[in-house]
Amino acid sequence: QVQLVESGGGLVQAGDSLRLSCAASGRTLSRFAVGWFRQALGKEREFVAAISGSAGRTRYVDSLKGRFTISRDDAKNTVYLQMNSLAPEDTATYYCAADPLFVRFTIATPRADYWGQGTQVTVSS
């Protein structure tokens, strides 16, 4: 089992940046691929980005490439999502998820075994 806790969300203005954190406990996070998803009110959950447990492979949804960056600090058992040039359409609850297999984040419908509770990001215009 691995427990995930997201933090770093908040209310920002369009054009601002935020860095979300996903802190893990219970297991060494380096053994897991970690992804970020988001869900806006009334919409389906959307895959955002993922990073492998080793070799540093990453995957992003095409629409967010260049604005969002995923990274990890295994010494801190934490994965980050740097979000730049935020826009109102980025408003959503952001969730991190962990899975032993990076490939599960690369399929048409990404999925993972472990999920955090989410952190709210609200971007005002």
Side-chain angles (χ1 to χ4, degrees):
Q1 287 282 351
V2 59
Q3 291 78 43
L4 304 172
V5 178
E6 303 93 336
S7 62
L11 173 62
V12 298
Q13 294 186 333
D16 286 350
S17 298
L18 274 178
R19 188 178 77 162
L20 305 183
S21 298
C22 174
S25 61
R27 296 282 298 275
T28 301
L29 195 59
S30 61
R31 297 177 179 270
F32 294 85
V34 178
W36 285 95
F37 296 76
R38 67 184 184 182
Q39 187 167 20
L41 194 63
K43 295 187 177 181
E44 293 187 354
R45 186 179 67 197
E46 174 187 25
F47 169 78
V48 173
I51 188 165
S52 65
S54 61
R57 289 173 294 165
T58 58
R59 180 184 182 237
Y60 296 90
V61 65
D62 287 344
S63 60
L64 297 176
K65 282 182 180 178
R67 285 202 302 126
F68 288 17
T69 303
I70 190 170
S71 62
R72 64 190 303 152
D73 185 341
D74 289 334
K76 296 183 178 180
N77 236 26
T78 301
V79 170
Y80 304 99
L81 183 69
Q82 178 68 42
M83 307 186 295
N84 298 328
S85 302
L86 285 163
E89 52 264 35
D90 294 317
T91 295
T93 301
Y94 284 72
Y95 300 89
C96 69
D99 195 274
L101 300 176
F102 179 67
V103 67
R104 297 187 79 188
F105 292 107
T106 67
I107 58 178
T109 306
R111 57 187 61 207
D113 284 345
Y114 305 102
W115 293 83
Q117 294 299 307
T119 185
Q120 178 66 36
V121 172
T122 303
V123 185
S124 65
S125 56

